[in-house]
Amino acid sequence: MKVLCITDCQDRPETELYILLNQRVEKLLVMANPNGRFYPLLLAHGVEVQPIQIKSRFDRPATELIRQTLIMNSVDIVHAFNTRAVACMLRAGKKSSAKLLAYRGVTTGVGYLRPESWHTFLSPRLDGVMCVAEAIRQALIGTRFLGFKFPVHKAKTIRKGHNPQWYAGDAVLPVSYGVPEGALTLCCIARNSLKKGVLTLVEAFALLDKALNAHLVLVGSIDKNTVLKQKIEQAGLVDRVHFTGYRNDAIQIIRGCDVLVSASQSGEGLPRVAIEAMCVGTPVVATDSGGTREVVLDGQTGLLVKKGAAADLAQAVARVLGDAGLRSRLSVQGLRFVSTELTPERTADEVIGWYQQLFEH
């Protein structure tokens, strides 16, 4: 079986999937952005890589490069791992006999009244979609309009695997970004978007008893959000909320904190930040958005609350911060869950099994 994977600046789990596939299929070729952080890792493990930079869903040069690659390599399976790649793959492979597959990482954004969906996930030419959470699969198969509905057989749930060893390293201590010595610290990773529930998080943080001596650390480009900063100022929390800006060592910041909070209100797929927190032993409090409930098992691998419910979120955070024994149990059980249920090897097994099933039919 010959496989072509098309991606952009892939993350570590996706990179490791390609490395495992390369060991187990007849031939694997990966088309990837050479500027990606993990591009050199593919080369170091002997994966055949062809540089590509897809600028849009209608990138003609990229589409032609994919078409020529299909012809020259006679591939059986083509798997595109982002929306731009999916659109270009579908045009490039419309006359190909190869199975054309997509990857889906969020629950929202696909609909029959969305013209862009007809060029991607709702295209009749698409043979299958890898959904990284069951919540995504359910959202896809629930997509319908009048007589149209998404074919159930096309959606396959395969969760991305993680290895805690990838995230080895020393913790970045909270005092390095202004948290007082001895304070309890909760952190949240967020880009500059209010969809990640940061306003609800700040509202919840304001409800915490000051006796907890808790500080909130916000990591990522959310530091550029003026609406959020105004809310923090109005709540009188300026001295207890700390921004780090974008950081390459976000995982080590999580390692140094007492609790990771994911307050997302958008269509989460498989929440990578929650999984990474489990990998480094930091307990998780999260909202039940999308596929989050599939990894944050309430009372086992973390605490789960209704999204948008600030009071419930505050109660859950206070419960974890105030109980060192609970933090320890959630830490141990979260790490065990990732190590047994979300392994890279399991992901590779399921992907190869899916490819084989499609290839034989």
Side-chain angles (χ1 to χ4, degrees), residues 104-107 129-143 150-158 268-269 291 294:
R104 188 74 182 157
V106 295
T107 59
V129 182
M130 172 182 164
C131 305
V132 295
E134 176 61 18
I136 298 172
R137 191 183 79 89
Q138 290 298 328
L140 272 182
I141 65 178
T143 302
F150 188 90
V152 175
H153 71 276
K154 286 188 177 184
K156 177 72 171 179
T157 300
I158 302 177
E268 291 289 324
E294 298 173 36

Side-chain angles (χ1 to χ4, degrees), residues 13 162 167 250-251 254 271-282 338:
H162 290 249
Y167 310 114
I251 296 173
I254 295 172
R272 187 177 68 183
V273 68
I275 296 170
E276 290 172 346
M278 293 177 192
C279 285
V280 300
T282 300
V338 175

Side-chain angles (χ1 to χ4, degrees), residues 174 183-187 254-260 282-283 320-321 327:
L184 291 170
T185 310
L186 53 148
C187 68
I254 295 172
R255 185 190 292 274
C257 292
D258 296 290
V259 181
L260 181 282
T282 300
V320 177
L321 289 179
R327 292 201 299 274

Side-chain angles (χ1 to χ4, degrees), residues 296-355:
V296 182
L297 311 180
D298 190 35
Q300 300 176 50
T301 63
L303 296 187
L304 197 66
V305 301
K306 183 179 179 181
K307 62 183 179 181
D312 291 347
L313 185 60
Q315 184 178 27
V317 169
R319 181 182 167 196
V320 177
L321 289 179
D323 188 340
L326 175 60
R327 292 201 299 274
S328 179
R329 289 194 298 276
L330 295 179
S331 174
V332 169
Q333 291 171 173
L335 179 58
R336 183 185 299 128
F337 177 81
V338 175
S339 300
T340 57
E341 301 297 322
L342 296 178
T343 66
E345 293 75 17
R346 180 171 181 169
T347 301
D349 287 344
E350 293 179 358
V351 168
I352 290 173
W354 184 44
Y355 287 173

